[in-house]
Amino acid sequence: MGFRFRLASFFVLALVVVQGLTGLLVYRVTRAELIDEGMRQLQVSSQSFAHQFQGMADAAAAGVQVLAQDFALRSAIAQGDAATIASALQNHGRRVGAAQMLLVGVDGRIAADTTAQLPVGAAFPHPELLDRALQEPAAAVVAAWKQRAYWMVVVPVFAPDLVGYIGAAIPVDDRVVLRLQQQSTLPKSIELAALDTSGGLAVLARGSDPGRLAGPLAARGRLPTTPVVTDVDGREYVAQAVWLAGPEVTPRVAGVLGFSVDEALEPYRSVGVAWAALLAFGLVVGLGCAWLIARSVSRPVEALAALARRVAAGDYSPPDAPARADELGQLADAFGNMAGAIREREARLLHQAGHDQVTGLPNRGYAEAAIHDALATGADGRAALLVLGLDRLPEIIKTLGHVVADRVVREAGARVQAVAGNALVARATDTQLSVFMPGAALGDARKLAQSIVEALTDPYREADLTLDFAPAVGIALAPGHGVQAGALLRRAEVAMIGALRAVDPIALYDPAVDPHRPERLSLMGDLRHALEFGGLQLHYQPKLNLREDRIDSAEGLARWTHPVLGPVAPDAFIALAEETGNIRRVTRWALDAGIAQASRWKAEGHALRVCINISARDLDDADLPRRVAALLQAHGLEPAQIALEITESAIMGKPDAAVAVLRRLADQGIDLAIDDFGVGQSSFAYLRRLPVRELKIDKTFITHLAHSREDRIIVNSIIELGHHLGCTVTAEGVEDAQALAWLREVGCDHAQGYLISRPLPAGDFAGLALAGRWRTPAGTER
């Protein structure tokens, strides 16, 4: 019975589908035939419309020809009788239905206008009609003017020679189109439309059907002259345009004819209704069959679908015992077993996703979610977050492997849990644990941090191993240091890193020493912008020649005035450029600016040498010597007029590569100087290989030179060393006259520092350098 019932249902549904498809096919075939027949009729109607329209134009032209034969008018034109001409034009214009009558002279200019719209003496707007009027009895065209259509008729006047032309503008409006429709079997939808050269469309007249055909047809900038199917206000039309005879200089006028496909299909509506009723009956029968099928099949399936939705929503409770023993009952039992297995598997996955596999503690993701919830629900938002770092753990991993390191972390987690009480202990990273204390203040956090450090003071022991934990604890407080879990964890970690380097293993987060502040990221972007748009300036600090008491060179120093923050310390943004990889761009900018300025000073007659700093990363650039040579050539500067300064640490980073680049620079004739000499990591083995011509003694040895015997001994030794190596020696950081006098006494070559001058813009520096012999601040000439 069930199979037969289902089979019967199939036949009913198949019948409905076949009926529907048949109805659709009949409709489409009928519509296609109607459209084809409409297109054929429309082509015939278009030709008939154009012929009838031209016939009416010829009739209007014949009426104007009668006026041209009037003896009195011809005499008046020959004699120039303006009053008689105007009266005759107006009277005859009324008889032929003209809106405007014109008299055009043989020179093509207006002699009279009954409407005074065209001034006397103006050129006739359709000169080609004058030539046609001499070849034909009358020239008649359809013209568009001021959103209206006119028959423009031109007839020559002879008395007996050609004395002028009569022009008549006869309106072609809705009444003319209606009269054409009444006199013939033209379609109901007829419009006269003008399409200008720019694609603009104007409907000038229309017939009995108010539908607008011309607009949709001209949507692509042209009117089709073959039948097309188009949509007009939701109705389907077959339409075609036929161009009417018109002038050459004004928009042409076309007749647009069309018929409604919807109206043509109207007689077939009753058939469609009957077909729809039959289809509806088939659907009702099909629905009844589907309802019967649902009683035997769909209800158990729906129950299983509801069980699947429960499982998808996380409800793994076992389903009710199946009430049937067939295949559907077996499927329900399988669903129940599957739900139980998923429940157990998901519980394991949830625990693994939220906990560390080594220590069994919650992991960072679980901790962040818990911290977020606690801060969101806390009454005052107060909390403390501790991050514990195990400084020895990386070394343990490298030496003893991850297995031992995992046991060390497991032991550390157990000890922290033992003293943490109700605080949430989690593993933040491989070498860090976190402890979250909701509602705690700074005092509570420091007390727990001290307990953690004491708990980890006793080393980890295993067999013959004794391993120190070397704990350090960073503290961040909410809401003072942040209200988001991620921000608190990061700032507590910053504090922990500071504690690793300090004597006290416990540190509170201090924003002032945080190298990863958000504003620092913003400053990175601002520095890139300054490099691209000229936001940096090069200031010049004078170098005093101690033998000649004059300023003969300068060190170019980058300066940055931030548009919001004001002047930014050079150490800050130079270090920032090093971190972000922009230091080479800074060097390229400094080289270009310094060499250009030295070239300008040379052109002004000033023999000043400019020293420019380059970084360790620049010494990795094998293209640096070529770039410097290109800049010198571009600015017409000799290599001896610049010097490049390099720190000891920059050379020692990659000594072989640095020496190779420096030798190429020296071979080009560019002097090289070692900056901050004495505080780096220089090796005398590399020093003798370097092609340097100058040693700059670091200011740490110069600052207390007047009062420190040890500093004087060191400085004197460096000066002697430099001279023995063939180098000149410059003392940096000279700030008092006593130090300057001593340096001159021991034979130092140059001095540089605030006693001589601070770094100056190029204009101020030139004035100082040209002042002649340098004087001490007290005014005593040296």
Side-chain angles (χ1 to χ4, degrees):
M1 182 82 182
F3 173 75
R4 285 181 295 172
F5 183 78
R6 291 171 178 80
L7 185 60
S9 301
F10 169 77
F11 281 121
V12 170
L13 293 176
L15 176 62
V16 173
V17 170
V18 169
Q19 286 180 336
L21 292 176
T22 303
L24 179 62
L25 179 61
V26 170
Y27 168 77
R28 293 181 66 87
V29 170
T30 303
R31 176 180 172 278
E33 288 297 325
L34 287 174
I35 290 175
D36 290 342
E37 179 61 26
M39 288 182 174
R40 287 191 292 270
Q41 292 180 6
L42 203 57
Q43 288 178 324
V44 175
S45 298
S46 298
Q47 296 173 1
S48 174
F49 172 78
H51 180 73
Q52 294 180 44
F53 200 84
Q54 187 60 43
M56 295 181 72
D58 293 341
V64 179
Q65 280 182 294
V66 173
L67 175 62
Q69 302 298 325
D70 184 75
F71 178 78
L73 176 62
R74 288 188 292 170
S75 299
I77 293 174
Q79 298 172 6
D81 187 351
T84 304
I85 293 170
S87 176
L89 291 176
Q90 288 177 351
N91 293 334
H92 197 78
R94 284 192 294 270
R95 285 196 294 271
V96 298
Q100 183 181 24
M101 296 293 291
L102 302 171
L103 175 61
V104 183
V106 294
D107 59 354
R109 298 190 174 275
I110 303 298
D113 181 1
T114 59
T115 62
Q117 295 183 13
L118 296 175
V120 175
F124 182 60
H126 307 293
E128 72 277 5
L129 296 182
L130 303 179
D131 296 334
R132 285 179 53 189
L134 295 175
Q135 301 171 6
E136 303 173 2
V141 296
V142 183
W145 189 47
K146 292 186 178 181
Q147 303 296 316
R148 297 188 65 183
Y150 296 88
W151 277 310
M152 178 58 66
V153 180
V154 176
V155 178
V157 181
F158 297 93
D161 296 328
L162 178 68
V163 294
Y165 303 87
I166 295 176
I170 303 171
V172 181
D173 52 16
D174 296 352
R175 292 175 297 177
V176 174
V177 178
L178 287 171
R179 189 163 64 249
L180 278 173
Q181 288 179 311
Q182 292 168 358
Q183 293 172 356
S184 61
T185 59
L186 294 175
K188 291 173 57 179
S189 297
I190 300 179
E191 294 179 359
L192 294 183
L195 190 67
D196 58 27
T197 57
S198 63
L201 178 74
V203 177
L204 309 175
R206 57 170 48 90
S208 58
D209 189 349
R212 301 179 181 274
L213 291 174
L217 285 181
R220 298 182 180 178
R222 63 183 183 87
L223 291 171
T225 55
T226 57
V228 295
V229 179
T230 185
D231 183 81
V232 180
D233 297 331
R235 302 181 65 187
E236 197 172 31
Y237 280 80
V238 177
Q240 177 183 353
V242 56
W243 291 105
L244 305 175
E248 297 178 357
V249 297
T250 59
R252 295 186 64 190
V253 178
V256 181
L257 293 78
F259 79 91
S260 172
V261 177
D262 295 335
E263 291 183 4
L265 288 172
E266 191 64 35
Y268 299 92
R269 302 295 183 193
S270 58
V271 177
V273 171
W275 217 304
L278 183 60
L279 181 60
F281 174 75
L283 290 175
V284 170
V285 173
L287 289 174
C289 295
W291 179 81
L292 294 175
I293 293 174
R295 292 182 60 86
S296 60
V297 176
S298 63
R299 286 184 178 179
V301 173
E302 289 175 0
L304 292 176
L307 174 60
R309 288 192 294 270
R310 273 176 31 209
V311 172
D315 181 5
Y316 304 113
S317 57
D320 296 334
R324 48 198 300 167
D326 57 4
E327 291 83 356
L328 291 175
Q330 296 175 11
L331 182 59
D333 187 48
F335 259 91
N337 295 334
M338 180 186 68
I342 292 175
R343 180 174 63 253
E344 296 175 0
R345 187 179 304 111
E346 185 171 285
R348 289 196 302 271
L349 291 175
L350 286 175
H351 185 273
Q352 292 173 0
H355 289 75
D356 176 53
Q357 299 301 307
V358 175
T359 62
L361 296 173
N363 59 20
R364 188 185 185 96
Y366 183 97
E368 285 192 13
I371 293 170
H372 178 272
D373 293 342
L375 293 176
T377 57
D380 55 2
R382 288 199 314 165
L385 181 63
L386 285 62
V387 170
L388 166 66
L390 303 175
D391 191 34
R392 295 292 306 280
L393 201 58
E395 184 179 350
I396 293 172
I397 294 173
K398 294 176 183 177
T399 306
L400 302 175
H402 283 278
V403 176
V404 176
D406 288 347
R407 292 199 291 267
V408 173
V409 174
R410 192 180 301 116
E411 175 66 18
R415 294 188 189 184
V416 173
Q417 276 189 306
V419 299
N422 294 327
L424 174 64
V425 181
R427 186 171 185 181
T429 67
D430 288 345
T431 61
Q432 297 172 10
L433 302 178
S434 67
V435 183
F436 178 65
M437 305 171 64
L442 177 59
D444 301 324
R446 284 193 178 277
K447 183 177 180 181
L448 178 57
Q450 187 62 43
S451 299
I452 292 173
V453 171
E454 291 174 358
L456 297 175
T457 300
D458 188 24
Y460 171 79
R461 292 181 175 84
E462 176 183 308
D464 55 349
L465 290 176
T466 300
L467 303 174
D468 293 329
F469 290 102
V473 180
I475 302 174
L477 301 175
H481 297 150
V483 294
Q484 299 293 330
L488 285 175
L489 279 166
R490 188 187 65 78
R491 288 164 184 171
E493 183 176 1
V494 169
M496 182 272 296
I497 294 172
L500 288 174
R501 298 191 295 262
V503 176
D504 187 357
I506 300 172
L508 178 66
Y509 173 73
D510 183 2
V513 297
D514 185 356
H516 307 290
R517 301 185 303 275
E519 54 269 25
R520 185 177 175 86
L521 294 177
S522 176
L523 200 62
M524 292 179 183
D526 295 341
L527 177 59
R528 284 191 290 269
H529 185 274
L531 284 169
E532 292 176 4
F533 298 99
L536 300 183
Q537 302 87 35
L538 205 62
H539 287 194
Y540 301 88
Q541 187 170 31
K543 294 175 66 176
L544 177 64
N545 187 319
L546 295 179
R547 298 182 188 277
E548 301 177 6
D549 281 336
R550 69 182 183 88
I551 295 170
D552 61 358
S553 57
E555 180 181 357
L557 300 171
R559 293 294 183 264
W560 180 23
T561 301
H562 192 278
V564 177
L565 304 177
V568 181
D571 291 344
F573 73 82
I574 293 298
L576 195 64
E578 291 275 8
E579 294 176 13
T580 58
N582 286 309
I583 191 63
R584 288 189 180 180
R585 295 180 62 188
V586 174
T587 300
R588 286 197 291 269
W589 166 82
L591 286 169
D592 189 18
I595 292 174
Q597 184 58 53
S599 177
R600 286 192 288 270
W601 281 332
K602 177 186 175 183
E604 295 169 1
H606 311 323
L608 295 171
R609 188 172 72 162
V610 175
C611 305
I612 303 166
N613 292 279
I614 59 177
S615 73
R617 294 197 181 189
D618 294 313
L619 296 180
D620 291 339
D621 184 7
D623 201 39
L624 178 65
R626 184 201 60 78
R627 189 179 299 111
V628 174
L631 287 172
L632 290 171
Q633 182 179 5
H635 292 284
L637 199 66
E638 296 297 326
Q641 290 183 268
I642 69 165
L644 301 181
E645 298 185 4
I646 317 99
T647 62
E648 295 177 79
S649 58
I651 299 172
M652 298 307 298
K654 293 182 179 179
D656 293 334
V659 169
V661 172
L662 293 176
R663 284 195 181 279
R664 289 174 57 196
L665 289 168
D667 291 343
Q668 295 175 190
I670 299 170
D671 288 346
L672 304 173
I674 295 182
D675 199 11
D676 301 335
F677 186 80
V679 297
Q681 305 170 356
S682 60
S683 164
F684 285 108
Y686 282 108
L687 183 61
R688 66 185 181 130
R689 293 173 51 195
L690 296 175
V692 296
R693 300 293 301 276
E694 181 181 0
L695 301 181
K696 300 188 72 175
I697 305 173
D698 188 73
K699 64 182 180 181
T700 56
F701 302 110
I702 307 298
T703 302
H704 304 290
L705 194 62
H707 311 290
S708 173
R709 177 175 174 272
E710 292 79 6
D711 286 347
R712 288 197 295 272
I713 293 172
I714 294 173
V715 170
N716 189 40
S717 300
I718 295 175
I719 293 172
E720 291 180 0
L721 172 66
H723 288 164
H724 285 307
L725 291 174
C727 299
T728 62
V729 181
T730 299
E732 295 183 294
V734 179
E735 298 183 359
D736 60 83
Q738 291 180 345
L740 182 66
W742 186 87
L743 289 168
R744 182 182 286 108
E745 180 182 337
V746 296
C748 187
D749 301 291
H750 287 84
Q752 180 180 343
Y754 283 4
L755 177 68
I756 296 144
S757 175
R758 292 176 176 271
L760 301 171
D764 297 340
F765 177 85
L768 178 65
L770 297 177
R773 291 168 59 88
W774 181 81
R775 298 175 181 273
T776 62
T780 303
E781 186 175 293
R782 301 264 179 193

